[in-house]
Amino acid sequence: MAPISIRTVLISESVDPRCRAILEENGIRVTEKQNMKKDELIAELKDYDGLVVRSATKVTADVINAADNLKIIGRAGTGVDNVDVDAATKKGIIVMNTPSGNTLSAAELTCALLMSLSRNVPQAVMSMKQGNWDRKKFMGSELYGKVLGIVGLGRIGKEVASRMQSFGMKTIGYDPITPVEVSASWGVEQMSLDQLWPQCDYITVHTPLMPSTVGLLNDETFAKCKKGVKVVNCARGGIIDEAALLRAVESGQCGGAGLDVFVEEPPKDRNLVDHPNVISCPHLGASTKEAQARCGQDIALQIVDMVKGKSLVGAVNANVLASTFSQESHQLIKLGEAIGAVLQSCTASQTPLSQVHVINQGDCMKSSTGYMTSAVLVGLLNHGSGCSSNLINVLSLAKESGIMVNQTHCASDGAAAENVCKVEIVANGCSYKANGSVQCGVPILLELSGSVFRQPVALTGNLLFFKASASPQLLSSVAGLLATAGVEIESFSGPSDRTGDLWYCVGVSSPLPDLGALKSLVKEAAQLTL
């Protein structure tokens, strides 16, 4: 990936001072401005390339759509539910988090709540402060030998498992992504949720908040659990249905809950918070000096590494960019964009574009299939249209435009150019094709809609393409017309074949002022600057 230019960053919440220091040490101008209202944030953000937030700043679609210069939103923490990721993606803005910054702090708080539930520690503390000495009232139970169900076996789930195993707990879990053999190596036996619920003495959730996890623990799932099961949520409010949890606690089906997060923060409905069997905290999962320092430093370092073209870590909506940090990938992206731009120019009168098929041929192209398809689409949609697509948003923009996109990879066919990008598009019912490769670091065009060039076209500078029947006078006639317009020929590529209407390419010193002047000499003509 070509380095993204980030010159200015707005930090809208309190983060570790090292965040600002790291950014400024790397030439990025930083402004810190906290406690802004939505309108104030919108007005301020228009001047910045980057935004760094924690969890309080709500980066809504309105905020994103008003920020014309914004290229990256950095979340100093894990969850990004305060950022409209879909709106950011649609606008081509990277959303980045610090996936490991608060892992240990969140895991430790989870363990603290599990232990507090087992021994009624907070309730006993409050009783002592009220002048009481009631040992029988706060009879607890050991964690040793109990079953802990961990829903979500990512970084935090793994750390919770290792710590609670030290207390002699049996750890079981569920995760749709983590392989069974991987979690087994941590001592966690994976199973389905329906198998997990009835076995657990304690349940802790460590999933993101998404449609599939909203209300994961509800009336139906509580009914499947052991009577008296205890639950902990240090992930996101809403994963446990709060109304269902209150009913389960009141009935005794749930023996207690430890909550660090709520659907509404702070919660206006105090029924859960005030219940004697519920331990609650004001979202303290990442509230340690170490986690805040780690998250602040991590987000700054990740932004700097991205700007320098070193790596991309923590991008939640830009997986296509992960493998675009080598010089080879930069060249291939330029190739894809150039092929797309050539096809767009040569089919400008043929609308609408309905299909795009990208075939990457050769061993070196196998890992590039994802970003090559996006690069081709950027060239097709951006060139001459005023569209502002990039590798992040172009697939969603193509889908919105009704363009069917297919991508495949195949082995080399033994041709001179081993690694080739082949593109076929359908516009207004007609098919157009282009094949290209990279030669000595320069993107080249090998073939255009059946015309195989004797000398590959270097896809750089001002290029004039025209389609015509071969004749001895063709080149001299075109050269004369260009000379009359004050345009010099710098290169010429003709087709290997000499029969029928074929495509030619002329490298020129400047674009032809009036492309229509060629009408008497050629069937079709297009020009572009790369």
Side-chain angles (χ1 to χ4, degrees):
M1 185 184 77
I4 295 175
S5 175
I6 303 291
R7 299 182 300 271
T8 56
V9 167
L10 173 66
I11 299 176
S12 66
E13 296 181 58
S14 175
V15 297
D16 188 82
R18 282 293 295 153
C19 178
R20 177 173 189 157
I22 291 168
L23 293 172
E24 290 182 334
E25 286 166 8
N26 287 275
I28 298 172
R29 193 173 80 250
V30 178
T31 300
E32 293 187 72
K33 198 168 183 179
Q34 300 175 26
N35 303 317
M36 284 182 286
K37 295 178 181 178
K38 180 179 176 180
D39 291 344
E40 294 172 328
L41 179 61
I42 288 174
E44 184 75 22
L45 199 52
K46 66 182 186 333
D47 298 323
Y48 294 90
D49 302 315
L51 172 66
V52 171
V53 302
R54 285 179 61 191
S55 59
T57 302
K58 306 304 178 187
V59 192
T60 63
D62 290 342
V63 172
I64 289 166
N65 291 332
D68 291 334
N69 295 322
L70 197 62
K71 300 180 182 72
I72 185 166
I73 299 167
R75 161 73 164 100
T78 303
V80 291
D81 40 294
N82 58 315
V83 178
D84 191 326
V85 177
D86 289 340
T89 302
K90 188 173 180 181
K91 203 164 181 188
I93 298 169
I94 296 172
V95 178
M96 177 185 287
N97 68 352
T98 52
S100 59
N102 61 7
T103 296
L104 295 178
S105 293
E108 288 179 358
L109 180 61
T110 300
C111 297
L113 291 177
L114 287 166
M115 288 184 277
S116 294
L117 283 173
S118 74
R119 301 302 298 268
N120 302 303
V121 174
Q123 296 92 328
V125 169
M126 289 305 299
S127 177
M128 286 286 288
K129 288 182 181 296
Q130 292 166 2
N132 301 319
W133 182 270
D134 198 339
R135 299 176 67 190
K136 291 183 179 179
K137 182 178 180 181
F138 301 114
M139 179 67 65
S141 59
E142 292 181 349
L143 293 172
Y144 182 83
K146 302 300 190 299
V147 177
L148 172 63
I150 306 172
V151 181
L153 296 169
R155 293 178 178 86
I156 298 173
K158 176 185 177 183
E159 296 297 336
V160 170
S162 69
R163 284 156 177 74
M164 300 317 294
Q165 287 162 8
S166 300
F167 285 84
M169 296 192 85
K170 177 185 177 182
T171 49
I172 62 176
Y174 168 79
D175 192 296
I177 298 173
T178 303
V180 171
E181 59 273 16
V182 172
S183 61
S185 69
W186 319 328
V188 179
E189 178 188 355
Q190 276 206 58
M191 59 190 66
S192 70
L193 288 172
D194 282 340
Q195 292 172 310
L196 180 142
W197 303 131
Q199 297 187 47
C200 298
D201 300 297
Y202 295 81
I203 296 171
T204 178
V205 294
H206 300 285
T207 71
L209 183 65
M210 56 182 66
S212 61
T213 63
V214 171
L216 194 62
L217 269 78
N218 51 43
D219 288 316
E220 183 180 347
T221 48
F222 274 120
K224 296 176 182 177
C225 293
K226 285 182 181 180
K227 188 173 181 63
V229 66
K230 295 179 174 68
V231 299
V232 170
N233 185 6
C234 287
R236 280 292 177 266
I239 297 172
I240 299 177
D241 183 320
E242 292 178 355
L245 175 59
L246 181 60
R247 287 189 287 271
V249 171
E250 289 179 336
S251 70
Q253 180 63 22
C254 176
L259 303 176
D260 185 46
V261 290
F262 299 84
V263 172
E264 183 181 35
E265 295 184 354
K268 291 179 182 177
D269 185 340
R270 305 284 300 180
N271 287 323
L272 266 178
V273 174
D274 293 339
H275 196 283
N277 290 339
V278 174
I279 302 166
S280 56
C281 301
H283 203 148
L284 300 179
S287 294
T288 64
K289 294 176 182 178
E290 294 84 357
Q292 290 311 303
R294 206 177 292 123
C295 288
Q297 291 180 51
D298 284 357
I299 197 65
L301 290 170
Q302 288 170 206
I303 290 173
V304 168
D305 284 347
M306 181 198 71
V307 169
K308 291 185 175 181
K310 290 183 178 179
S311 64
L312 184 67
V313 175
V316 301
N317 68 333
N319 290 336
V320 69
L321 301 182
S323 56
T324 62
F325 285 84
S326 65
Q327 185 61 37
E328 181 185 55
S329 67
H330 296 177
Q331 295 166 358
L332 290 174
I333 289 169
K334 287 181 180 178
L335 171 65
E337 291 181 353
I339 291 176
V342 168
L343 285 170
Q344 192 281 330
S345 296
C346 294
T347 61
S349 62
Q350 303 293 327
T351 56
L353 176 63
S354 58
Q355 293 181 42
V356 177
H357 187 194
V358 179
I359 302 172
N360 287 301
Q361 181 176 295
D363 292 342
C364 292
M365 301 290 282
K366 193 168 186 178
S367 62
S368 66
T369 299
Y371 66 74
M372 281 300 291
T373 300
S374 295
V376 169
L377 287 168
V378 167
L380 279 166
L381 298 184
N382 278 10
H383 188 76
S385 68
C387 179
S388 58
S389 67
N390 59 25
L391 296 180
I392 301 163
N393 65 0
V394 73
L395 285 173
S396 61
L397 291 178
K399 185 177 181 180
E400 284 182 6
S401 300
I403 301 171
M404 184 183 299
V405 179
N406 293 300
Q407 58 187 25
T408 54
H409 174 266
C410 65
S412 175
D413 60 5
E418 291 185 1
N419 300 296
V420 178
C421 177
K422 299 182 176 183
V423 181
E424 179 177 5
I425 68 171
V426 176
N428 197 27
C430 299
S431 175
Y432 301 86
K433 299 179 181 179
N435 299 347
S437 187
V438 174
Q439 192 175 83
C440 299
V442 177
I444 57 171
L445 185 67
L446 303 170
E447 180 180 350
L448 179 61
S449 289
S451 299
V452 178
F453 295 103
R454 287 197 304 271
Q455 178 68 30
V457 177
L459 293 172
T460 181
N462 301 303
L463 300 176
L464 172 65
F465 289 89
F466 57 87
K467 188 177 185 180
S469 298
S471 73
Q473 296 81 28
L474 177 62
L475 181 57
S476 59
S477 299
V478 171
L481 188 148
L482 291 174
T484 302
V487 177
E488 299 177 7
I489 293 180
E490 297 180 343
S491 63
F492 174 75
S493 296
S496 300
D497 197 355
R498 305 288 294 173
T499 58
D501 294 333
L502 299 166
W503 283 97
Y504 298 77
C505 180
V506 179
V508 291
S509 58
S510 60
L512 184 63
D514 178 17
L515 202 57
L518 284 170
K519 281 186 177 179
S520 61
L521 301 176
V522 303
K523 303 287 180 66
E524 296 179 44
Q527 61 182 344
L528 72 160
T529 300
L530 295 170

